[in-house]
Amino acid sequence: MRRRCFAVVPAAGRGRRMGSEIPKQYLNLAGKPVLQHTLERLLAVPDLEIIVVALAADDRRWHELPLARHPRIRVTEGGAERADSVLAGLECLEGAATAADWVMVHDAARPCLRPADAEKLLHTLAEDEVGGILALPSVDTLKEVTDGVVRQTVARHRIWRALTPQLFRYRLLRRSLEQALARGMPVTDESSAVELAGFRPKIVEGSPDNIKITRPEDLPLARFILERS
Ligand code: CTP
Ligand code: MG
């Protein structure tokens, strides 16, 4: 049976490392807000039926976004940590998504996602019972370091950098996040919660273009990527 696909976009962060007054998801990037780019890229994936955006409780900028009233987009209130915001997005899909439907979680702060990579994730995992993530193999030689001294060289082929989107079955993801938060475990992405619940998410290779805007120097890099693509 073909499963339905939904998306959750955590966009309730403050962007502290960015250091700007405006939260980074609303900063101007090549003529439009970062979040507008991100949502346009997700809307270009036809399989995603509904995209839920989790916003900060005091967000005043959403309504100015050209896509604010798009029929495939819904909003909900996010929480204190990224995982709380994602969970709020999943709760918003209650009633729409059934247990085995897919949910794609994608950071608002990754506006350079290639829609083809999101589709590759969906198609590669279509028959999988758990889900998986876009990731990048490490290109540098990696060192394990204690107190400023190299302990050893880490086998590079075993190390991947986790990106978003991350794609999981609806109920499995929701339960994994709820359990991890209830246990007070650190949850920096969906995969870590699913791993803690005892599952093995699959890896699908993404593109180095799919950067997360984190610090001020990432903004000109994102502009370069968008203008080239
Ligand atoms: N996010 C969220 N709710 C939070 C914290 C983060 O929805 N309570 C979102 C951010 O808006 C962002 C994504 O999660 O799209 C990735 O988080 P990150 O890059 O860490 O963004 P911020 O938390 O906003 O930045 P910082 O950690 O520098 O404050
Ligand atoms: Mg953060």
Side-chain angles (χ1 to χ4, degrees), residues 9-19 23-25 54-56 78-86 106-110 188 212-214:
V9 177
R14 301 260 163 249
R16 291 207 171 80
R17 286 169 287 181
M18 197 70 194
K24 63 186 179 184
Q25 55 273 32
L55 301 172
E81 302 294 334
R82 183 182 176 285
D84 301 307
S85 300
V86 172
H106 183 60
D107 289 330
R110 291 186 191 269
T188 50
K212 180 159 74 70
I213 295 179
T214 306

Side-chain angles (χ1 to χ4, degrees), residues 119-205:
E119 286 175 358
K120 178 176 162 187
L121 187 66
L122 280 167
H123 296 149
T124 308
L125 298 174
E127 304 304 324
D128 198 84
E129 287 182 4
V130 176
I133 70 173
L134 282 185
L136 278 178
S138 180
V139 289
D140 298 312
T141 298
L142 297 162
K143 305 294 183 189
E144 189 184 317
V145 175
T146 4
D147 302 325
V149 175
V150 175
R151 304 287 299 205
Q152 59 174 336
T153 299
V154 182
R156 191 172 67 193
H157 66 277
R158 295 182 51 201
I159 307 293
W160 289 65
R161 289 163 46 207
L163 311 173
T164 74
Q166 303 201 350
L167 181 75
F168 290 101
R169 300 277 181 186
Y170 176 73
R171 187 168 63 190
L172 181 142
L173 177 59
R174 194 168 162 183
R175 287 203 173 153
S176 301
L177 280 171
E178 284 167 352
Q179 280 170 15
L181 293 179
R183 288 162 62 193
M185 306 299 284
V187 181
T188 50
D189 67 350
E190 290 58 62
S191 182
S192 48
V194 171
E195 294 153 36
L196 279 168
F199 299 99
R200 299 271 190 98
K202 301 263 180 340
I203 288 285
V204 176
E205 187 164 350

